[in-house]
Amino acid sequence: MQIILYFILLTTSFVQKSFARLYFNDFLRNSSSVAKEARETLELFSSLSGDESYQNRDLEKASQKVAKNLYDEKVQPTTLVPKQVGNMYTASLYAAFVSVLHNKHSTLVGQRIVMFSYGSGLSSTMFSFKIQDGRHPFTVSNIASVMNVDGKLDSRHVFPPEKFVETMKLMEHRYGAKDFVTRKDTSLLSPGAFYLTHVDSMYRRFYAKKGSASKSISATNGTMVNGH
Ligand SMILES: *[C@@H]1O[C@H](CO)[C@@H](O)[C@H](O)[C@H]1NC(C)=O
Ligand SMILES: *[C@@H]1O[C@H](CO)[C@@H](O)[C@H](O)[C@H]1NC(C)=O
């Protein structure tokens, strides 16, 4: 495994525990695949049954400790955007991937990435892929520069908590609602962004694009906005 990416659910300690478990599984499958010092520590737990091993707090602590260096090398670089932005649910896994593209793009070509997400309902997905460089503009370095992660993080707007609560209330109020018009202030949107202008009595959603002279675009016409 080259780089491990995780869905950051609530705290990164959850991710550390998951990674440590994966490390223990690697040890059980082939003890020579882990570092020698780690082997000596994990040996103490090798006779536990599967269920016992999931309950064992000492194993949880010990495995996190011995997996720490590998965690710092392979997982830590993926936590930048999830830590800065907070929980995005489905998008979290891809935000972790974006962090790696940002932090490590010069060394990524040829590497295999493992993507692991774990969510509510005890469902999880693990898949992997290998990074290949494309032709311009689809080179890894160009994708990283177009994403401009630092620039985007730096251009965030700071709000007091009261404003956040007010915004959440509005969102709650409008969730699943019809017959409303949104406020016209688009000053915080970046140029080219699509935004909702109103929802009619039949729940049809209408959008406009910032910095575009065209009138609002019907959600029932045009694949770009249809259904969203
Ligand atoms: C076990 O891991 C070592 C070190 O990575 C590797 O050289 C060896 O081929 C592995 N053995 C098996 C059976 O996969
Ligand atoms: C949908 O879009 C097409 C192509 O832009 C346009 O000709 C047509 O009039 C639009 N239909 C409605 C209902 O807006």
Side-chain angles (χ1 to χ4, degrees), residues 52 70 104 121:
E52 284 167 348
L70 209 56
K104 298 261 174 189

Side-chain angles (χ1 to χ4, degrees), residues 51-196:
D51 277 353
E52 284 167 348
S53 74
Y54 289 119
Q55 311 290 338
N56 194 302
R57 293 271 162 187
D58 293 335
L59 169 59
E60 191 178 282
K61 275 196 204 121
S63 57
Q64 278 185 75
K65 204 166 163 201
V66 294
K68 172 109 183 24
N69 286 344
L70 209 56
Y71 176 89
D72 289 346
E73 184 191 333
K74 305 217 182 260
V75 188
Q76 182 63 28
T78 75
T79 60
L80 171 76
V81 176
K83 274 180 178 165
Q84 288 289 315
V85 177
N87 189 7
M88 292 163 272
Y89 296 87
T90 304
S92 301
L93 180 63
Y94 301 93
F97 179 48
V98 160
S99 308
V100 171
L101 279 178
H102 171 70
N103 282 326
K104 298 261 174 189
H105 67 86
S106 56
T107 58
L108 275 185
V109 173
Q111 300 255 29
R112 181 169 291 282
I113 309 272
V114 176
M115 305 276 277
F116 172 50
S117 73
Y118 170 86
S120 49
L122 286 180
S123 63
S124 66
T125 312
M126 185 182 270
F127 61 97
S128 82
F129 52 81
K130 217 169 184 176
I131 304 274
Q132 286 179 353
D133 223 1
R135 299 236 310 258
H136 186 80
F138 302 107
T139 58
V140 174
S141 63
N142 193 49
I143 291 170
S145 97
V146 169
M147 284 192 314
N148 186 20
V149 169
D150 281 336
K152 288 190 176 115
L153 289 176
D154 288 347
S155 64
R156 286 175 294 173
H157 298 272
V158 178
F159 288 103
E162 293 77 15
K163 181 72 192 163
F164 178 75
V165 170
E166 193 186 300
T167 307
M168 293 306 281
K169 281 219 173 93
L170 184 63
M171 194 173 135
E172 207 174 292
H173 179 70
R174 285 184 175 161
Y175 184 77
K178 58 177 180 172
D179 264 333
F180 67 85
V181 173
T182 60
R183 72 198 175 98
K184 294 283 168 281
D185 178 13
T186 60
S187 59
L188 296 178
L189 298 177
S190 41
F194 285 93
Y195 61 95
L196 184 69

